Amino acid sequence: MNCPEHPHGHSHHAAGAGGRAALPELADQLRRKARKLTGARQAIFEILRRQLHPLSNKEIFAELPKGDCDLATVYRSLHLLEEMRMVKRFDLGDGIARYELLAEGDDGHHHHLVCTRCTAVIEIEECFPRELEQNIATRNGFTAITHKLEFFGICPRCQ
Amino acid sequence: MNCPEHPHGHSHHAAGAGGRAALPELADQLRRKARKLTGARQAIFEILRRQLHPLSNKEIFAELPKGDCDLATVYRSLHLLEEMRMVKRFDLGDGIARYELLAEGDDGHHHHLVCTRCTAVIEIEECFPRELEQNIATRNGFTAITHKLEFFGICPRCQ
DNA sequence: ACCGTGAATGCAAATCGTTTGCAATTAGCC
DNA sequence: GGCTAATTGCAAACGATTTGCATTCACGGT
């Protein structure tokens, strides 16, 4: 039905695709969970691998060789990948889920700087100070505390 | 933006909604914009005034004397209040908009600690360090930079 | 290579939060 | 009281996401 040959060898690794998981790892992780390595999943995985920003389901779907798979399958695949800790979901504040591929062992905890005009996204390494976070946790008796942090502004090009 | 620590993290709230706007101010602001002070708006406003956490449209609707107004009107009223800078919208990460009444002159910039089990919400005074934010802005050539920051964890009761 | 079986998919319909068109009401100024 | 623009209810429209179900497929065992 769908058989994602990848005729164009986009094998150039974008800067930043550095430690990202490669296909064999996907196959591996899937086998480990008794899930199947399907064409759709490979294709989606490859799209994420090539991309440097977080992608929405629709964006991924749009990049898929058309007719390759259903939008519902994209949604299902991303849920699976998320559950397998191979992608991380980001919420940029417009009710649209976006996903980024994770490097092996990466917990994916990082933040973004988003241009409110063109929606360009830059990865940010700064993080909310751990001690402050710990303060907040203990002061309020909370455990398992985490945070979401995103920055918004106007990028050089859009100014 | 500083506030004494609260042993169990209950957010500060004077009996009767600290510095929050009172009805006369609503009337005032509305008149200024040639908008009408309707029953629905008063009721919604009062509900927000009594509440200490962010409320969703549905929650507000549910607290309304039933039949008092339509859910669509709640949505419209909150948009209006937001546009008038009398409420602030918060996005806690589940695609549901929540609103908090603002004190006069308050820009509403603060953050929340949300229990992932019971969704209790506590207001947090800490903020992302301004110099770090400035760093990020200049380093990336961004202007008009802001951030969204929310904390998640498990509250004492739910542990 | 072939089978059996559970996993995965396509498709359409269903959900959920939210928005909108439109005709009927209503608040606020004269 | 009357006029008129603002507001509302209602139902339909929306966009993102999910799901039920019958069909198809991947893959470990043979």
Side-chain angles (χ1 to χ4, degrees):
Chain A
M1 184 172 289
N2 43 28
C3 117
E5 302 291 324
H6 301 290
H8 317 295
H10 286 58
S11 39
H12 67 282
H13 289 240
R20 286 182 193 165
L23 240 141
E25 204 205 319
L26 174 62
D28 220 50
Q29 295 267 350
L30 284 170
R31 197 168 310 112
R32 202 165 299 158
K33 283 211 153 205
R35 319 302 287 275
K36 296 171 182 173
L37 179 61
T38 67
R41 285 173 188 171
Q42 287 179 58
I44 291 168
F45 184 82
E46 279 305 320
I47 287 170
L48 283 170
R49 230 166 90 74
R50 282 201 290 278
Q51 219 53 40
L52 10 122
H53 354 285
L55 291 179
S56 69
N57 287 279
K58 276 231 181 112
E59 286 167 340
I60 293 170
F61 180 61
E63 295 218 21
L64 241 26
K66 86 170 174 176
D68 200 356
C69 87
D70 192 78
L71 181 55
T73 297
V74 176
Y75 277 96
R76 287 190 271 231
S77 296
L78 286 169
H79 283 319
L80 177 62
L81 289 171
E82 189 182 11
E83 182 192 311
M84 288 168 39
R85 306 271 155 80
M86 300 198 67
V87 301
K88 176 135 195 273
R89 191 172 83 214
F90 282 98
D91 171 17
L92 264 32
D94 54 357
I96 301 178
R98 285 156 214 272
Y99 297 87
E100 272 182 21
L101 203 55
L102 293 180
E104 223 177 333
D106 182 3
D107 71 344
H109 186 82
H110 65 260
H111 308 293
H112 297 103
L113 172 54
V114 185
C115 178
T116 50
R117 293 250 175 89
C118 67
T119 62
V121 178
I122 292 172
E123 207 167 291
I124 294 296
E125 62 273 9
E126 276 89 348
C127 196
F128 190 79
R130 194 162 293 283
E131 346 133 28
L132 272 181
E133 180 170 78
Q134 193 47 53
N135 258 347
I136 292 169
T138 47
R139 159 158 40 92
N140 294 286
F142 271 58
T143 56
I145 198 170
T146 57
H147 62 262
K148 291 186 181 178
L149 171 61
E150 306 294 346
F151 299 91
F152 300 88
I154 301 173
C155 77
R157 258 204 253 166
C158 289
Q159 280 162 38
Chain B
M1 183 168 293
N2 42 31
C3 178
E5 308 214 337
H6 301 280
H8 257 283
H10 292 297
S11 71
H12 52 56
H13 55 85
R20 286 179 192 165
L23 241 140
E25 204 204 319
L26 175 63
D28 220 51
Q29 295 267 350
L30 284 170
R31 197 168 310 111
R32 204 166 294 159
K33 283 209 153 201
R35 319 303 285 277
K36 296 172 182 174
L37 178 62
T38 66
R41 285 173 188 171
Q42 288 180 56
I44 290 169
F45 185 82
E46 278 305 319
I47 287 169
L48 284 169
R49 230 166 88 72
R50 281 203 289 280
Q51 220 52 39
L52 11 124
H53 357 284
L55 290 178
S56 69
N57 287 279
K58 276 233 181 111
E59 285 167 340
I60 292 170
F61 180 61
E63 294 217 22
L64 242 25
K66 86 170 176 177
D68 202 354
C69 88
D70 192 78
L71 181 55
T73 298
V74 176
Y75 276 96
R76 287 191 271 229
S77 296
L78 287 169
H79 283 320
L80 176 61
L81 289 171
E82 189 183 10
E83 183 191 310
M84 290 168 41
R85 303 273 158 81
M86 300 199 65
V87 301
K88 176 135 196 273
R89 190 173 83 216
F90 282 98
D91 171 17
L92 265 31
D94 54 358
I96 301 180
R98 286 156 214 270
Y99 297 87
E100 272 183 20
L101 202 55
L102 292 181
E104 224 177 332
D106 182 4
D107 71 343
H109 187 81
H110 65 261
H111 308 294
H112 297 102
L113 171 54
V114 185
C115 177
T116 50
R117 294 250 174 91
C118 68
T119 63
V121 177
I122 292 172
E123 207 168 290
I124 294 296
E125 307 305 327
E126 277 88 348
C127 196
F128 190 81
R130 194 163 292 283
E131 349 135 25
L132 272 180
E133 181 172 77
Q134 192 47 53
N135 258 348
I136 293 169
T138 46
R139 161 157 40 91
N140 293 285
F142 272 57
T143 56
I145 198 171
T146 56
H147 62 262
K148 290 186 182 177
L149 171 60
E150 307 292 346
F151 300 90
F152 300 88
I154 301 175
C155 77
R157 257 203 252 166
C158 289
Q159 280 163 35

